[in-house]
Amino acid sequence: MSTRPRLLPWPSAAGKCCYLVTDDDGNSRLARLADEMEAVQLKAGAELLGHASEMLGDHKVGAGELRFLVKCLSEALRDALRVAESRGGRLPACAYSEPDDGPDDDPNLEKGACE
């Protein structure tokens, strides 16, 4: 069983966060469904962003249409942030080590080593 719960890309009926705790390989049926949902949400957000660029260039677009666009963009951003939080929570923890003073490295930058 995984020690870190996975934030799912959809809220509960009450609007609260849903989490999945599964085996270590992360390949359960629900985990695959969550992966697919994240992909759909990100693709929809990218398509909406392209549509927004077109709308903003059109001076005939009314205030009501722009308000609807902002509502949709807000929802897409909320979805993208949830996906980012979920994926970030599944990254291995990084431990900082001593700086590496190689010839191509900036000695002022810290280097991290991931598990």
Side-chain angles (χ1 to χ4, degrees):
M1 184 141 325
S2 175
T3 58
R4 292 185 195 171
R6 174 185 178 168
L7 176 63
L8 292 173
W10 54 79
S12 71
K16 297 190 179 203
C17 293
C18 292
Y19 293 90
L20 172 65
V21 178
T22 187
D23 51 13
D24 285 329
D25 70 2
N27 200 26
S28 69
R29 196 155 114 193
L30 190 55
R32 288 191 309 272
L33 178 63
D35 290 341
E36 291 170 11
M37 182 66 174
E38 286 179 353
V40 167
Q41 288 173 325
L42 294 175
K43 182 179 180 191
E47 290 173 356
L48 182 60
L49 189 57
H51 184 64
S53 295
E54 292 173 11
M55 284 184 71
L56 291 173
D58 183 355
H59 297 289
K60 296 177 186 174
V61 174
E65 292 170 299
L66 289 175
R67 275 195 294 278
F68 182 70
L69 174 64
V70 169
K71 177 184 177 289
C72 293
L73 285 170
S74 295
E75 291 170 359
L77 178 58
R78 185 176 16 261
D79 289 344
L81 291 173
R82 182 185 299 267
V83 170
E85 181 181 350
S86 177
R87 291 181 180 182
R90 289 179 275 148
L91 291 174
C94 290
Y96 290 98
S97 62
E98 292 298 316
D100 181 8
D101 294 333
D104 296 329
D105 296 305
D106 181 347
N108 296 319
L109 296 177
E110 287 188 57
K111 300 291 181 186
C114 293
E115 295 174 352

